[in-house]
Amino acid sequence: MKALPARPWWRGGVIYQIYPRSFADTNGDGVGDLAGITQKLDYIAWLGVDAIWISPFFPSPMKDFGYDIRAHCEVDPLFGTLEAFGALLERAHALGIRVMIDQVLSHTSDQHPWFADSRASREGARADWYVWADPQPDGTPPNNWLSVFGGSAWQWDTGRSQYYLHNFLACQPDLNFHCGEVREAILETVRFWLELGVDGYRLDTANFLFHDAQLRNNPPRDRQTGPRRDMSVGDFNPYMYQMHLFDKSRPENLGFLGELRALCDRYPNTVLLGEIGDDDGLARMAEYTAGADRLHMAYSFDLLGADHSAAFLHQTFERFGRIVSDGWPAWAIGNHDVVRVATRWAADAATGSLRQRKLRLAAALQMCLRGTPCVYQGEELGLEEVELRQEELQDPYGIAMWPRFKGRDGCRTPMPWDGAAIDAGFGSGAQKPWLPIPAQHRANAVADQQAHPQSLLCYYRALIAWRRANPVMLEGSMHMIGGSIHKIEAGLSANAASPGLLAFVRTLGDLRVLCVFNWSATDLSVDPRELASQMLLPDQPGRPGLERPDPGALRILASPMQGLSLAGGSLLLQAWGCGCLVR
């Protein structure tokens, strides 16, 4: 086998997302802080991930909990100081952990000095730094664009007698990226943190930078038979009534991403990870990561919804493999914006061992995919979504959409470190945590699971180590298998498709690894000759006269995965079982 070039750390490495408000509170104010992250870095190192991504900790009015930035190059006193961030960075690097920070480029808080200057006058130095537009003759907004958080995307400002654009909350005005001075100012804020030594950025709303300069109306969406929809927004939201052709994902975005990439490339080993919320997230992921002058990697919301059937997953991965060229995906199955995966994907598995097996299956899938896994804090513990009462809600999105949508607070509750400790080890008890810690989370606390080698947490740790030890999982190509895999269970025809089976081949040089997953509550028995044959197909399509390989040539690759066996000429997969095979 030829020697392979050195792999950049982010290609296949594992990223762990930290939501700082809810990670660890060291000063007893009920809110997590940077010192708390530093204090828990030994845990991150023990888990074995390559990098952490820290959600915003910049000065903010906290109307959207940090995603409404008031100053780009400072630390909000709620979280600490620049010195505290420097200590975090130093300690992380000493442990071999890279640090990525979450940056919001498309919009700011309405309390940002830039916006104060912009709204003060139509003739000021920063008059054009935000998206301003005159009303229509009848006083209504300039067009039909909608906010993700509900209602019009336009807010009237009495000082300028104009509307300004906000794709999210009215207190989050959108910057005007058609203005060169805005682009220069944003690049300077990115440079500031790169100079401090950060290893990269997670870019919030990476496809929302430019808007249509003509302010054309978005066309309506045919919600019955129309094309794909933005999976980042639920069907309860009027935002889904439009095709978002003109308010985001504009072609000009690519030019600015090139400028951003050129800046990052001056700082070796730094990386750009983009969040993509789009009508066709997979296509946008492929587009935004193509070549060497855009994002290094991106993730969409395709795996952040409720659908996780084998058919849906096969379609998702197969389509992305077809449309991507040299781009690189990141795969997240949970984050701070969506219902926790233990509730979204495992609630139908009742309780107890089956539920645990399904969570292990989800983790194994993520660690076997081509791309970079992003693990959200608490996923490794199997934390479920927390049901909050209306009066407990903090999230403005949930408050606006109640009761159909209860917001994002349920996935943001504090991390349980020690089930027997005050505040489950999150804080000191001096101040009530900003969100409640439910009793069921105490039972899943870090200390309790670390003490049990068979726990989900220890399983995650073993999977991450196994992934790192197998270069094919980090660098190999990926080819979906489907169509001609058949059940041979008693009472079923040999031609009956196995709807719960998801299978793909990872290939690196001469090594092929077959990854199989049973996304069903029933055991499956599969003809291994079919699988062995299809392991040849990626490199030998249409080869005539191909003999069916001896199923004895397949063997199980040692891994932490569970529920796969070979016996009596059949491949057996337990309900929610998985594993890998090699020839």
Short mmCIF file of all heavy atoms in Angstrom, two decimals, residues 134-189:
data_model
loop_
_atom_site.label_atom_id
_atom_site.label_comp_id
_atom_site.label_asym_id
_atom_site.label_seq_id
_atom_site.Cartn_x
_atom_site.Cartn_y
_atom_site.Cartn_z
N ASP A 134 -36.63 51.08 2.83
CA ASP A 134 -37.82 51.91 2.99
C ASP A 134 -39.08 51.04 2.97
O ASP A 134 -39.08 49.95 2.37
CB ASP A 134 -37.92 52.94 1.86
CG ASP A 134 -36.82 53.99 1.94
OD1 ASP A 134 -36.42 54.34 3.08
OD2 ASP A 134 -36.35 54.44 0.88
N PRO A 135 -40.14 51.52 3.60
CA PRO A 135 -41.39 50.77 3.56
C PRO A 135 -42.02 50.82 2.18
O PRO A 135 -41.67 51.67 1.35
CB PRO A 135 -42.26 51.48 4.60
CG PRO A 135 -41.74 52.88 4.61
CD PRO A 135 -40.27 52.77 4.38
N GLN A 136 -42.96 49.94 1.93
CA GLN A 136 -43.78 50.05 0.74
C GLN A 136 -44.71 51.26 0.89
O GLN A 136 -44.87 51.80 1.98
CB GLN A 136 -44.57 48.77 0.53
CG GLN A 136 -43.66 47.55 0.28
CD GLN A 136 -44.43 46.34 -0.17
OE1 GLN A 136 -45.13 46.38 -1.19
NE2 GLN A 136 -44.31 45.25 0.58
N PRO A 137 -45.33 51.71 -0.20
CA PRO A 137 -46.18 52.91 -0.13
C PRO A 137 -47.25 52.86 0.95
O PRO A 137 -47.64 53.91 1.50
CB PRO A 137 -46.80 52.99 -1.53
CG PRO A 137 -45.78 52.34 -2.42
CD PRO A 137 -45.20 51.23 -1.60
N ASP A 138 -47.71 51.64 1.29
CA ASP A 138 -48.75 51.54 2.33
C ASP A 138 -48.16 51.36 3.72
O ASP A 138 -48.88 51.09 4.69
CB ASP A 138 -49.71 50.39 2.02
CG ASP A 138 -49.02 49.03 1.98
OD1 ASP A 138 -47.78 48.98 2.14
OD2 ASP A 138 -49.71 48.02 1.79
N GLY A 139 -46.83 51.49 3.85
CA GLY A 139 -46.18 51.41 5.15
C GLY A 139 -45.78 50.02 5.57
O GLY A 139 -45.13 49.85 6.62
N THR A 140 -46.13 49.02 4.79
CA THR A 140 -45.79 47.64 5.16
C THR A 140 -44.33 47.34 4.83
O THR A 140 -43.67 48.10 4.11
CB THR A 140 -46.71 46.64 4.42
OG1 THR A 140 -46.63 46.91 3.01
CG2 THR A 140 -48.15 46.79 4.89
N PRO A 141 -43.79 46.21 5.35
CA PRO A 141 -42.37 45.89 5.13
C PRO A 141 -42.00 45.79 3.66
O PRO A 141 -42.87 45.60 2.79
CB PRO A 141 -42.21 44.54 5.84
CG PRO A 141 -43.23 44.56 6.91
CD PRO A 141 -44.41 45.27 6.31
N PRO A 142 -40.72 45.90 3.37
CA PRO A 142 -40.25 45.95 1.97
C PRO A 142 -40.58 44.70 1.16
O PRO A 142 -40.72 44.78 -0.07
CB PRO A 142 -38.73 46.10 2.12
CG PRO A 142 -38.54 46.68 3.48
CD PRO A 142 -39.64 46.13 4.32
N ASN A 143 -40.67 43.55 1.80
CA ASN A 143 -41.01 42.32 1.07
C ASN A 143 -41.60 41.31 2.05
O ASN A 143 -41.91 41.65 3.20
CB ASN A 143 -39.78 41.76 0.33
CG ASN A 143 -38.63 41.41 1.27
OD1 ASN A 143 -38.84 41.12 2.45
ND2 ASN A 143 -37.40 41.45 0.77
N ASN A 144 -41.72 40.07 1.59
CA ASN A 144 -42.43 39.05 2.38
C ASN A 144 -41.52 38.18 3.22
O ASN A 144 -41.95 37.15 3.75
CB ASN A 144 -43.28 38.16 1.46
CG ASN A 144 -42.42 37.23 0.59
OD1 ASN A 144 -41.20 37.40 0.47
ND2 ASN A 144 -43.06 36.25 -0.04
N TRP A 145 -40.26 38.54 3.39
CA TRP A 145 -39.33 37.68 4.12
C TRP A 145 -39.78 37.50 5.56
O TRP A 145 -40.28 38.43 6.21
CB TRP A 145 -37.92 38.25 4.08
CG TRP A 145 -37.33 38.30 2.70
CD1 TRP A 145 -37.86 37.80 1.55
CD2 TRP A 145 -36.09 38.92 2.34
NE1 TRP A 145 -37.03 38.04 0.49
CE2 TRP A 145 -35.94 38.73 0.94
CE3 TRP A 145 -35.11 39.58 3.04
CZ2 TRP A 145 -34.81 39.21 0.25
CZ3 TRP A 145 -33.99 40.07 2.35
CH2 TRP A 145 -33.85 39.87 0.97
N LEU A 146 -39.56 36.27 6.06
CA LEU A 146 -40.00 35.91 7.41
C LEU A 146 -38.80 35.62 8.30
O LEU A 146 -37.74 35.19 7.84
CB LEU A 146 -40.91 34.67 7.36
CG LEU A 146 -42.23 34.84 6.63
CD1 LEU A 146 -42.95 33.50 6.50
CD2 LEU A 146 -43.12 35.85 7.35
N SER A 147 -39.00 35.82 9.58
CA SER A 147 -37.99 35.48 10.58
C SER A 147 -38.10 34.00 10.94
O SER A 147 -39.20 33.45 11.03
CB SER A 147 -38.19 36.33 11.83
OG SER A 147 -37.53 35.77 12.95
N VAL A 148 -36.96 33.36 11.19
CA VAL A 148 -36.96 31.97 11.65
C VAL A 148 -37.74 31.84 12.95
O VAL A 148 -38.40 30.83 13.20
CB VAL A 148 -35.51 31.47 11.84
CG1 VAL A 148 -35.50 30.08 12.47
CG2 VAL A 148 -34.77 31.45 10.52
N PHE A 149 -37.71 32.89 13.77
CA PHE A 149 -38.37 32.84 15.08
C PHE A 149 -39.82 33.32 15.04
O PHE A 149 -40.44 33.51 16.08
CB PHE A 149 -37.58 33.68 16.09
CG PHE A 149 -36.27 33.05 16.52
CD1 PHE A 149 -35.38 33.74 17.30
CD2 PHE A 149 -35.94 31.75 16.13
CE1 PHE A 149 -34.18 33.17 17.71
CE2 PHE A 149 -34.75 31.18 16.52
CZ PHE A 149 -33.86 31.88 17.31
N GLY A 150 -40.37 33.52 13.84
CA GLY A 150 -41.78 33.87 13.70
C GLY A 150 -42.01 35.32 13.30
O GLY A 150 -41.32 36.22 13.78
N GLY A 151 -42.99 35.53 12.43
CA GLY A 151 -43.36 36.87 12.02
C GLY A 151 -42.47 37.42 10.93
O GLY A 151 -41.60 36.74 10.37
N SER A 152 -42.67 38.68 10.60
CA SER A 152 -41.88 39.33 9.56
C SER A 152 -40.41 39.41 9.96
O SER A 152 -40.06 39.52 11.14
CB SER A 152 -42.41 40.75 9.32
OG SER A 152 -41.56 41.47 8.43
N ALA A 153 -39.54 39.37 8.94
CA ALA A 153 -38.11 39.54 9.18
C ALA A 153 -37.70 41.00 9.21
O ALA A 153 -36.52 41.32 9.25
CB ALA A 153 -37.32 38.80 8.10
N TRP A 154 -38.69 41.90 9.19
CA TRP A 154 -38.41 43.33 9.16
C TRP A 154 -38.95 44.01 10.42
O TRP A 154 -40.07 43.74 10.84
CB TRP A 154 -39.04 43.97 7.92
CG TRP A 154 -38.47 43.45 6.63
CD1 TRP A 154 -38.97 42.47 5.84
CD2 TRP A 154 -37.26 43.91 6.01
NE1 TRP A 154 -38.17 42.27 4.75
CE2 TRP A 154 -37.11 43.14 4.82
CE3 TRP A 154 -36.31 44.87 6.31
CZ2 TRP A 154 -36.03 43.32 3.95
CZ3 TRP A 154 -35.23 45.05 5.45
CH2 TRP A 154 -35.10 44.29 4.28
N GLN A 155 -38.14 44.89 11.00
CA GLN A 155 -38.53 45.65 12.19
C GLN A 155 -38.44 47.15 11.88
O GLN A 155 -37.43 47.63 11.37
CB GLN A 155 -37.60 45.30 13.36
CG GLN A 155 -37.88 46.06 14.64
CD GLN A 155 -39.21 45.68 15.27
OE1 GLN A 155 -39.67 44.54 15.12
NE2 GLN A 155 -39.85 46.62 15.94
N TRP A 156 -39.51 47.87 12.22
CA TRP A 156 -39.55 49.31 11.97
C TRP A 156 -38.67 50.04 12.99
O TRP A 156 -38.69 49.74 14.18
CB TRP A 156 -40.98 49.81 12.04
CG TRP A 156 -41.12 51.30 11.82
CD1 TRP A 156 -41.40 52.25 12.74
CD2 TRP A 156 -40.98 51.98 10.57
NE1 TRP A 156 -41.46 53.49 12.16
CE2 TRP A 156 -41.21 53.36 10.82
CE3 TRP A 156 -40.70 51.56 9.27
CZ2 TRP A 156 -41.15 54.32 9.80
CZ3 TRP A 156 -40.65 52.52 8.27
CH2 TRP A 156 -40.87 53.87 8.54
N ASP A 157 -37.89 51.01 12.50
CA ASP A 157 -37.07 51.85 13.36
C ASP A 157 -37.52 53.29 13.19
O ASP A 157 -37.43 53.85 12.08
CB ASP A 157 -35.59 51.71 13.00
CG ASP A 157 -34.70 52.52 13.92
OD1 ASP A 157 -34.44 52.06 15.05
OD2 ASP A 157 -34.28 53.63 13.53
N THR A 158 -38.00 53.90 14.26
CA THR A 158 -38.56 55.26 14.15
C THR A 158 -37.49 56.30 13.88
O THR A 158 -37.77 57.33 13.25
CB THR A 158 -39.31 55.63 15.44
OG1 THR A 158 -38.43 55.48 16.56
CG2 THR A 158 -40.52 54.72 15.64
N GLY A 159 -36.26 56.06 14.35
CA GLY A 159 -35.19 57.04 14.15
C GLY A 159 -34.86 57.25 12.69
O GLY A 159 -34.73 58.39 12.23
N ARG A 160 -34.73 56.18 11.94
CA ARG A 160 -34.40 56.28 10.51
C ARG A 160 -35.64 56.25 9.63
O ARG A 160 -35.53 56.45 8.41
CB ARG A 160 -33.46 55.15 10.10
CG ARG A 160 -32.03 55.33 10.59
CD ARG A 160 -31.07 54.28 10.08
NE ARG A 160 -31.08 54.06 8.63
CZ ARG A 160 -30.01 53.76 7.90
NH1 ARG A 160 -28.82 53.66 8.50
NH2 ARG A 160 -30.10 53.55 6.62
N SER A 161 -36.80 55.97 10.22
CA SER A 161 -38.03 55.81 9.43
C SER A 161 -37.82 54.79 8.32
O SER A 161 -38.20 55.01 7.16
CB SER A 161 -38.51 57.16 8.86
OG SER A 161 -38.92 58.01 9.90
N GLN A 162 -37.18 53.69 8.69
CA GLN A 162 -36.92 52.59 7.78
C GLN A 162 -37.08 51.28 8.54
O GLN A 162 -37.10 51.26 9.78
CB GLN A 162 -35.49 52.66 7.20
CG GLN A 162 -35.29 53.72 6.13
CD GLN A 162 -33.88 53.64 5.57
OE1 GLN A 162 -32.89 53.69 6.31
NE2 GLN A 162 -33.79 53.51 4.24
N TYR A 163 -37.17 50.21 7.78
CA TYR A 163 -37.14 48.87 8.36
C TYR A 163 -35.71 48.35 8.33
O TYR A 163 -34.93 48.68 7.42
CB TYR A 163 -38.02 47.91 7.55
CG TYR A 163 -39.50 48.07 7.74
CD1 TYR A 163 -40.26 48.85 6.86
CD2 TYR A 163 -40.15 47.43 8.80
CE1 TYR A 163 -41.65 48.97 7.02
CE2 TYR A 163 -41.52 47.56 8.96
CZ TYR A 163 -42.26 48.32 8.09
OH TYR A 163 -43.61 48.44 8.25
N TYR A 164 -35.36 47.51 9.32
CA TYR A 164 -34.10 46.77 9.25
C TYR A 164 -34.42 45.27 9.26
O TYR A 164 -35.42 44.83 9.81
CB TYR A 164 -33.14 47.15 10.38
CG TYR A 164 -33.56 46.79 11.78
CD1 TYR A 164 -33.37 45.51 12.31
CD2 TYR A 164 -34.13 47.76 12.61
CE1 TYR A 164 -33.75 45.19 13.60
CE2 TYR A 164 -34.52 47.45 13.92
CZ TYR A 164 -34.32 46.17 14.40
OH TYR A 164 -34.69 45.85 15.68
N LEU A 165 -33.53 44.50 8.64
CA LEU A 165 -33.71 43.06 8.48
C LEU A 165 -33.20 42.31 9.71
O LEU A 165 -32.13 42.61 10.24
CB LEU A 165 -32.95 42.58 7.25
CG LEU A 165 -32.98 41.07 6.94
CD1 LEU A 165 -34.38 40.62 6.56
CD2 LEU A 165 -31.97 40.74 5.83
N HIS A 166 -33.98 41.33 10.16
CA HIS A 166 -33.52 40.41 11.21
C HIS A 166 -34.05 39.02 10.86
O HIS A 166 -35.24 38.78 10.89
CB HIS A 166 -34.02 40.86 12.59
CG HIS A 166 -35.51 40.90 12.74
ND1 HIS A 166 -36.24 39.82 13.19
CD2 HIS A 166 -36.41 41.87 12.45
CE1 HIS A 166 -37.53 40.14 13.20
NE2 HIS A 166 -37.66 41.37 12.75
N ASN A 167 -33.16 38.13 10.55
CA ASN A 167 -33.57 36.76 10.21
C ASN A 167 -33.97 35.96 11.43
O ASN A 167 -34.58 34.89 11.31
CB ASN A 167 -32.46 36.04 9.46
CG ASN A 167 -32.47 36.34 7.97
OD1 ASN A 167 -33.45 36.06 7.28
ND2 ASN A 167 -31.38 36.92 7.48
N PHE A 168 -33.64 36.49 12.61
CA PHE A 168 -33.97 35.78 13.85
C PHE A 168 -34.77 36.73 14.75
O PHE A 168 -35.82 37.20 14.32
CB PHE A 168 -32.68 35.23 14.48
CG PHE A 168 -32.00 34.23 13.59
CD1 PHE A 168 -31.00 34.63 12.69
CD2 PHE A 168 -32.39 32.90 13.58
CE1 PHE A 168 -30.42 33.72 11.83
CE2 PHE A 168 -31.81 31.98 12.73
CZ PHE A 168 -30.82 32.40 11.85
N LEU A 169 -34.34 37.02 15.94
CA LEU A 169 -35.09 37.94 16.80
C LEU A 169 -34.97 39.38 16.30
O LEU A 169 -33.97 39.74 15.64
CB LEU A 169 -34.56 37.87 18.24
CG LEU A 169 -34.74 36.53 18.98
CD1 LEU A 169 -34.01 36.58 20.32
CD2 LEU A 169 -36.21 36.22 19.18
N ALA A 170 -35.94 40.20 16.64
CA ALA A 170 -35.89 41.61 16.25
C ALA A 170 -34.68 42.32 16.85
O ALA A 170 -34.23 43.34 16.32
CB ALA A 170 -37.18 42.32 16.66
N CYS A 171 -34.17 41.80 17.95
CA CYS A 171 -32.98 42.39 18.59
C CYS A 171 -31.68 41.83 18.01
O CYS A 171 -30.61 42.04 18.58
CB CYS A 171 -33.02 42.18 20.10
SG CYS A 171 -33.05 40.43 20.58
N GLN A 172 -31.78 41.12 16.86
CA GLN A 172 -30.60 40.57 16.19
C GLN A 172 -30.55 41.06 14.74
O GLN A 172 -30.79 40.31 13.79
CB GLN A 172 -30.63 39.03 16.22
CG GLN A 172 -30.51 38.44 17.62
CD GLN A 172 -30.73 36.94 17.64
OE1 GLN A 172 -31.82 36.47 17.35
NE2 GLN A 172 -29.71 36.19 17.99
N PRO A 173 -30.25 42.34 14.54
CA PRO A 173 -30.24 42.90 13.18
C PRO A 173 -29.15 42.27 12.31
O PRO A 173 -28.04 41.98 12.78
CB PRO A 173 -29.98 44.38 13.41
CG PRO A 173 -29.28 44.45 14.73
CD PRO A 173 -29.87 43.35 15.55
N ASP A 174 -29.48 42.06 11.04
CA ASP A 174 -28.54 41.44 10.11
C ASP A 174 -27.56 42.46 9.55
O ASP A 174 -27.95 43.56 9.13
CB ASP A 174 -29.30 40.79 8.95
CG ASP A 174 -29.74 39.38 9.29
OD1 ASP A 174 -30.61 39.23 10.16
OD2 ASP A 174 -29.19 38.44 8.69
N LEU A 175 -26.29 42.06 9.53
CA LEU A 175 -25.26 42.89 8.92
C LEU A 175 -25.41 42.87 7.40
O LEU A 175 -25.89 41.90 6.81
CB LEU A 175 -23.88 42.37 9.31
CG LEU A 175 -23.44 42.68 10.75
CD1 LEU A 175 -22.32 41.75 11.18
CD2 LEU A 175 -23.03 44.14 10.88
N ASN A 176 -24.96 43.95 6.77
CA ASN A 176 -25.03 44.08 5.32
C ASN A 176 -23.70 43.67 4.72
O ASN A 176 -22.77 44.48 4.62
CB ASN A 176 -25.36 45.52 4.94
CG ASN A 176 -25.39 45.73 3.44
OD1 ASN A 176 -25.48 44.77 2.67
ND2 ASN A 176 -25.29 46.98 3.01
N PHE A 177 -23.59 42.42 4.30
CA PHE A 177 -22.33 41.92 3.76
C PHE A 177 -22.04 42.43 2.36
O PHE A 177 -20.94 42.21 1.84
CB PHE A 177 -22.31 40.39 3.81
CG PHE A 177 -21.81 39.85 5.12
CD1 PHE A 177 -22.61 39.85 6.24
CD2 PHE A 177 -20.51 39.38 5.23
CE1 PHE A 177 -22.14 39.38 7.45
CE2 PHE A 177 -20.03 38.90 6.44
CZ PHE A 177 -20.84 38.91 7.56
N HIS A 178 -22.98 43.14 1.76
CA HIS A 178 -22.67 43.81 0.49
C HIS A 178 -21.75 45.00 0.72
O HIS A 178 -21.17 45.53 -0.24
CB HIS A 178 -23.96 44.28 -0.18
CG HIS A 178 -24.81 43.16 -0.70
ND1 HIS A 178 -24.51 42.43 -1.83
CD2 HIS A 178 -25.96 42.62 -0.22
CE1 HIS A 178 -25.43 41.50 -2.03
NE2 HIS A 178 -26.33 41.60 -1.07
N CYS A 179 -21.60 45.44 1.96
CA CYS A 179 -20.75 46.57 2.33
C CYS A 179 -19.35 46.04 2.62
O CYS A 179 -19.15 45.24 3.53
CB CYS A 179 -21.33 47.28 3.55
SG CYS A 179 -20.27 48.57 4.21
N GLY A 180 -18.36 46.50 1.86
CA GLY A 180 -17.00 46.04 2.03
C GLY A 180 -16.44 46.30 3.42
O GLY A 180 -15.65 45.51 3.95
N GLU A 181 -16.83 47.42 4.03
CA GLU A 181 -16.32 47.75 5.36
C GLU A 181 -16.81 46.74 6.41
O GLU A 181 -16.10 46.43 7.37
CB GLU A 181 -16.76 49.16 5.76
CG GLU A 181 -16.08 50.25 4.93
CD GLU A 181 -16.57 51.63 5.34
OE1 GLU A 181 -17.63 51.72 6.00
OE2 GLU A 181 -15.89 52.61 5.00
N VAL A 182 -18.01 46.21 6.21
CA VAL A 182 -18.53 45.19 7.11
C VAL A 182 -17.68 43.93 7.00
O VAL A 182 -17.29 43.34 8.02
CB VAL A 182 -20.01 44.88 6.80
CG1 VAL A 182 -20.46 43.61 7.53
CG2 VAL A 182 -20.89 46.04 7.20
N ARG A 183 -17.41 43.51 5.80
CA ARG A 183 -16.61 42.30 5.61
C ARG A 183 -15.23 42.46 6.24
O ARG A 183 -14.71 41.56 6.90
CB ARG A 183 -16.50 41.94 4.13
CG ARG A 183 -17.84 41.66 3.46
CD ARG A 183 -17.69 40.98 2.12
NE ARG A 183 -16.94 41.75 1.15
CZ ARG A 183 -17.45 42.69 0.36
NH1 ARG A 183 -18.75 42.98 0.44
NH2 ARG A 183 -16.70 43.32 -0.50
N GLU A 184 -14.62 43.62 6.05
CA GLU A 184 -13.30 43.88 6.64
C GLU A 184 -13.37 43.85 8.17
O GLU A 184 -12.48 43.28 8.83
CB GLU A 184 -12.77 45.23 6.16
CG GLU A 184 -12.42 45.27 4.69
CD GLU A 184 -12.06 46.67 4.22
OE1 GLU A 184 -11.92 47.57 5.09
OE2 GLU A 184 -11.92 46.87 3.01
N ALA A 185 -14.41 44.45 8.74
CA ALA A 185 -14.54 44.49 10.19
C ALA A 185 -14.74 43.09 10.76
O ALA A 185 -14.17 42.73 11.80
CB ALA A 185 -15.70 45.40 10.59
N ILE A 186 -15.55 42.28 10.08
CA ILE A 186 -15.79 40.91 10.55
C ILE A 186 -14.50 40.10 10.48
O ILE A 186 -14.17 39.34 11.41
CB ILE A 186 -16.90 40.25 9.72
CG1 ILE A 186 -18.27 40.80 10.13
CG2 ILE A 186 -16.87 38.74 9.86
CD1 ILE A 186 -18.70 40.44 11.53
N LEU A 187 -13.73 40.26 9.40
CA LEU A 187 -12.47 39.52 9.29
C LEU A 187 -11.50 39.92 10.40
O LEU A 187 -10.74 39.07 10.90
CB LEU A 187 -11.84 39.76 7.92
CG LEU A 187 -12.56 39.09 6.73
CD1 LEU A 187 -11.97 39.54 5.41
CD2 LEU A 187 -12.50 37.57 6.84
N GLU A 188 -11.54 41.18 10.82
CA GLU A 188 -10.68 41.60 11.91
C GLU A 188 -11.06 40.92 13.23
O GLU A 188 -10.20 40.60 14.04
CB GLU A 188 -10.72 43.12 12.06
CG GLU A 188 -9.87 43.85 11.04
CD GLU A 188 -8.42 43.38 11.05
OE1 GLU A 188 -7.79 43.38 12.13
OE2 GLU A 188 -7.91 42.99 9.98
N THR A 189 -12.37 40.72 13.45
CA THR A 189 -12.78 40.03 14.68
C THR A 189 -12.34 38.57 14.65
O THR A 189 -11.97 38.00 15.68
CB THR A 189 -14.30 40.10 14.88
OG1 THR A 189 -14.98 39.31 13.89
CG2 THR A 189 -14.81 41.54 14.81
#
